[in-house]
Amino acid sequence: MTQIERIKEMEQRMDKTSAAVMHLSAALDEYGHKTMTAREIIDYMETLRNDEQRRVLMRFFKTGPGEYGEGDEFLGLKVPQTREVVRAVAKDIALEEVPELLLSKWHEVRLCGLLILVARFEQLATKRLSNDEAAIRRRDEILAMYLHYAEQANNWDLVDLSAPKILGHWLLLPTALGDEYKRQVLDNLAKSSNLWRQRISIVCTWKTSWAGDPSWCLRYAEMHLHHPHDLMHKAVGWMLREMGKRCGIDLLRDFLRQHIHEMPRTTLRYAIEKMSDDERQAWMSADRK
């Protein structure tokens, strides 16, 4: 592709993005800038359907028979389009409208619902509100909704875009439910028979590791070490890598030394990705059962 062709492609993408923003503004005008209901949001998002992009996404997210995303339905929206909707409605939409979004058959609508929960949680998690009793209760309510509908986050992108920012952040903040409840929540997720609940229990530790607490990652990485699914192998390795990056590379090395002989190769490869070439080679060639 020539430079001129690249520029034209970028211009086309910008035109499509601008058109989507204008379309959303028109939709809000149609509703008189009143708070949109879940049904109105779904109706609007359905107008953005792109069948060509839909086919691409359904292949990418493995929606075929026997694949991990079997049966998932896509509108063909790109993530920035969904985020634009979230920015427009998250502040004012009633929380009780969100379950209708989470229960939608459309992947992008469920993502919209999850990102609305993220936005609402973050509004209540500022330094000024971290110890505010009303904010604590409302954060707990959002968490309860997230956990209740956790299985609706039924693909890796839905988990990864929501778990750290809701559950992971909640672990770092005061709760009216007690600190012991925090571990109980993650234990229940980790021991679930549902793949996506299990992934939530490890991916949420991205937030705690980046806050300097390695304990959550180490506990659930060990718990999931023998998980049979490749998506979990990747998630555990990714979270171990992030923990080592933020909490100390020696903690990661200690974990690897302890578990090297039982760790899936994919998990190991993801965990050591940012190490030097020589160290990666040494870990990958270590004696393994």
Side-chain angles (χ1 to χ4, degrees):
M1 182 182 290
T2 67
Q3 185 67 20
I4 292 176
E5 287 172 333
R6 289 193 186 96
I7 292 172
K8 286 182 177 179
E9 183 180 17
M10 288 177 63
E11 288 175 344
Q12 289 173 350
R13 289 177 181 173
M14 291 174 66
D15 287 343
K16 289 180 180 178
T17 302
S18 299
V21 172
M22 290 175 65
H23 193 180
L24 178 58
S25 297
L28 291 172
D29 285 340
E30 180 181 342
Y31 296 119
H33 293 281
K34 71 177 179 66
T35 301
M36 292 177 73
T37 65
R39 184 66 259 169
E40 290 166 342
I41 292 169
I42 294 169
D43 288 345
Y44 166 70
M45 294 182 73
E46 287 177 342
T47 68
L48 303 179
R49 178 172 173 147
N50 181 323
D51 286 335
E52 181 178 354
Q53 179 70 6
R54 178 177 183 270
R55 288 189 289 272
V56 171
L57 292 173
M58 291 183 73
R59 286 194 301 271
F60 182 75
F61 286 104
K62 308 294 185 185
T63 63
E67 295 181 310
Y68 60 74
E70 181 177 357
D72 202 357
E73 291 282 351
F74 286 77
L75 286 166
L77 277 62
K78 295 184 178 180
V79 173
Q81 291 176 287
T82 302
R83 288 193 181 278
E84 189 67 36
V85 176
V86 173
R87 280 192 290 270
V89 305
K91 183 179 178 182
D92 298 317
I93 188 173
L95 197 60
E96 54 266 27
E97 290 285 329
V98 176
E100 186 173 348
L101 300 175
L102 299 178
L103 291 170
S104 172
K105 70 175 182 178
W106 299 118
H107 184 103
E108 296 92 338
V109 174
R110 297 196 303 281
L111 175 58
C112 180
L114 291 166
L115 293 180
I116 287 171
L117 292 183
V118 168
R120 295 292 282 270
F121 190 94
E122 290 181 336
Q123 290 172 2
L124 297 165
T126 62
K127 186 175 181 179
R128 181 177 65 84
L129 293 175
S130 61
N131 292 295
D132 180 84
E133 289 187 6
I136 290 172
R137 287 195 302 273
R138 289 164 66 193
R139 290 197 302 262
D140 288 346
E141 289 171 1
I142 291 171
L143 177 80
M145 180 177 290
Y146 182 67
L147 295 175
H148 184 77
Y149 294 99
E151 291 178 25
Q152 297 303 113
N154 59 347
N155 216 311
W156 57 264
D157 63 317
L158 302 179
V159 170
D160 298 357
L161 290 171
S162 61
K165 294 183 177 182
I166 299 176
L167 180 54
H169 203 166
W170 177 80
L171 293 172
L172 298 169
L173 294 166
T175 172
L177 303 171
D179 286 342
E180 184 59 32
Y181 181 69
K182 293 180 178 181
R183 178 166 290 187
Q184 181 183 333
V185 165
L186 262 67
D187 282 354
N188 289 342
L189 290 167
K191 294 173 183 177
S192 167
S193 61
N194 180 268
L195 172 64
W196 308 114
R197 287 183 179 272
Q198 293 166 349
R199 187 176 173 95
I200 287 171
S201 72
I202 184 64
V203 172
C204 74
T205 68
W206 183 92
K207 188 73 172 182
T208 51
S209 292
W210 274 74
D213 182 354
S215 63
W216 296 98
C217 175
L218 293 172
R219 175 178 175 82
Y220 295 99
E222 187 172 39
M223 191 176 293
H224 290 306
L225 209 54
H226 300 106
H227 198 287
H229 204 292
D230 182 64
L231 281 178
M232 289 298 290
H233 299 170
K234 293 175 180 178
V236 170
W238 171 31
M239 290 302 107
L240 285 170
R241 183 180 73 234
E242 295 303 312
M243 183 278 299
K245 187 189 303 182
R246 293 297 295 185
C247 302
I249 192 66
D250 286 338
L251 281 173
L252 174 56
R253 292 185 178 118
D254 287 344
F255 186 93
L256 296 179
R257 277 190 287 269
Q258 183 179 354
H259 297 288
I260 186 68
H261 296 301
E262 57 182 331
M263 183 178 291
R265 206 157 182 81
T266 298
T267 299
L268 176 60
R269 191 167 64 247
Y270 270 63
I272 64 177
E273 186 178 301
K274 298 301 181 181
M275 293 180 178
S276 68
D277 290 344
D278 288 345
E279 186 169 6
R280 287 203 310 274
Q281 181 68 26
W283 284 114
M284 292 302 293
S285 60
D287 283 338
R288 300 163 57 78
K289 291 181 180 178

